[in-house]
Amino acid sequence: MKLSQFKNLLENSENFSFQLPSGTRVPKHFHITEMGMITKHFIDCGISFHQEKKVTFQLWYANDLDHVLSSDVALKIIDASDKIIGNEDLEIEVEYQMEETIGKFGLDFANGNFQLTKKETTCLAIDSCGIPNEKLKVNIGEWKEKMTSCAPNSGCC
């Protein structure tokens, strides 16, 4: 979800909540403890350079059970972050404390709730790093046969 979509959804609701991919809800007394922009410069295994920018915010909760963040206050936090983010309409990444480490999630909206969505890693240079699209399924006897028939520089080893 992009920042503009998030703001639009907040503008049209008084209260809002977040749900983890497991279906568990983030406790309603959460805080948005930080918000900003992350810029990542990186190189993939195919030696291609990339740059990625995202809006990020962190959800956190404590023992202050009476604290409930309203949409208006969340919008004020977003407006204040304009000094950092500017007018870029970037994808949102949400950080949330899991059992042993911080989880990073994408953001979606369904059934009146913000949904924290799973993120996955992948190879960005799949064509140049030599990983086959599917695992090879070979019987061991067949494998030995193929291995003995490999020619030098054939690429089978």
Side-chain angles (χ1 to χ4, degrees), residues 3-16:
L3 182 58
S4 62
Q5 295 169 292
F6 184 57
K7 287 172 68 171
N8 185 46
L9 289 164
L10 287 175
E11 287 168 355
N12 294 307
S13 66
E14 291 180 29
N15 296 313
F16 63 105

Side-chain angles (χ1 to χ4, degrees), residues 27 29-34 58-62 64 67 69:
H29 55 282
F30 68 87
H31 298 253
I32 294 178
T33 58
E34 61 182 54
Q58 188 176 83
L59 298 179
W60 177 79
Y61 66 94
D64 59 340
H67 178 275
L69 184 66

